[in-house]
Amino acid sequence: MKQKKYIYAGIVAAAAIAAVLIITQFGTTTTVNTGTGPSDLSPYLLDYTYETVNSDLRDTLKGQGINMSKPLTFQTPSEINQYCNFLSNKTKQAMIVRCTSTEIKDENSQFLGNLNMVGAPIAPVLVVATAQTDPMFGNYKDIKLLFGDVINETVCHCWAKEKPGGYGTISAMMDALRDFHLKGKKPNSTTQGVPLEGKHFEIELTTNPQGYLWKLLVAK
């Protein structure tokens, strides 16, 4: 497991963690059935449905020139394992019984990223947005719009009031993470889990052969 760096309310270095640190609360004491379903996901469910987020986010992005496809839904264990295997802890991953996935493109129909949600039949426990940018950050503006809209729809419309970490905008936090990552020597940089309105989110930035992969995680 590679070491990561952290930025939030001041930039610091930290020890290695799993990519899903943001949901360490999830499944720590819950009993899991031996089959494919969870015994009780209710303490970890986010307060919205897959359908609501996918619909509202699609409308919001469309108004900004970003296109989001209709969601694909995966519900069998084999499908979830192949397309929605986001949790490094196998016990927690086994509790997932539904996943939706959408493709996101910019106004020129160029691929921008994906939005995935996993959890129980009605509501998710984890939202994952990913986006790829080239080495020159050519589509960075669209990525910031995407992540800002995802946070607004899945966390709250409260950033301007709360200003997590002292950042006046989501864009400012992402800029700080980008600058920190570019100055460092590690392939991965991330924010700490940021608490906001009863949820947590985390933004990760990873260097890859295509440029830089951005990842946004949202959980309770």
Side-chain angles (χ1 to χ4, degrees):
M1 194 180 301
K2 293 185 174 65
Q3 188 182 41
K4 293 184 177 182
K5 295 181 178 179
Y6 298 79
I7 164 180
Y8 173 56
I11 299 172
V12 297
I17 61 165
V20 289
L21 172 67
I22 191 173
I23 53 168
T24 50
Q25 311 99 308
F26 170 48
T28 53
T29 59
T30 303
T31 301
V32 183
N33 292 339
T34 56
T36 60
S39 59
D40 184 14
L41 284 176
S42 59
Y44 317 106
L45 295 179
L46 293 164
D47 54 356
Y48 39 75
T49 66
Y50 301 89
E51 289 75 16
T52 297
V53 172
N54 282 319
S55 177
D56 291 349
L57 186 58
R58 186 182 306 111
D59 290 342
T60 299
L61 291 171
K62 185 177 181 180
Q64 297 175 328
I66 299 174
N67 299 305
M68 176 174 160
S69 70
K70 292 183 178 180
L72 296 174
T73 299
F74 305 108
Q75 299 185 85
T76 68
S78 60
E79 289 176 335
I80 292 171
N81 183 63
Q82 181 175 357
Y83 300 110
C84 311
N85 198 348
F86 298 117
L87 308 185
S88 59
N89 184 293
K90 292 183 179 180
T91 300
K92 297 173 185 178
Q93 179 65 35
M95 299 173 74
I96 302 303
V97 296
R98 186 182 181 191
C99 168
T100 64
S101 180
T102 64
E103 184 176 82
I104 299 167
K105 297 182 178 181
D106 65 19
E107 61 182 357
N108 298 315
S109 297
Q110 296 298 309
F111 177 76
L112 183 63
N114 297 96
L115 179 77
N116 298 282
M117 292 185 284
V118 300
I122 303 300
V125 297
L126 175 67
V127 177
V128 183
T130 57
Q132 176 70 41
T133 189
D134 60 50
M136 301 304 293
F137 290 86
N139 58 356
Y140 183 43
K141 180 180 177 181
D142 284 341
I143 293 174
K144 290 198 285 187
L145 287 173
L146 170 63
F147 278 27
D149 288 342
V150 172
I151 288 173
N152 284 337
E153 295 295 340
T154 64
V155 182
C156 68
H157 290 267
C158 61
W159 192 287
K161 176 183 176 182
E162 300 295 337
K163 294 182 174 61
Y167 295 102
T169 63
I170 299 168
S171 175
M173 179 179 280
M174 292 180 67
D175 285 346
L177 177 60
R178 176 203 58 189
D179 295 345
F180 180 65
H181 183 74
L182 293 177
K183 291 177 182 177
K185 297 181 179 180
K186 300 295 182 181
N188 303 296
S189 301
T190 182
T191 64
Q192 293 177 343
V194 182
L196 191 62
E197 291 290 307
K199 303 179 183 71
H200 289 76
F201 74 87
E202 178 178 304
I203 301 175
E204 299 178 359
L205 181 57
T206 302
T207 301
N208 63 17
Q210 292 74 43
Y212 302 95
L213 177 66
W214 291 84
K215 183 184 292 183
L216 169 65
L217 306 170
V218 177
K220 200 166 184 179

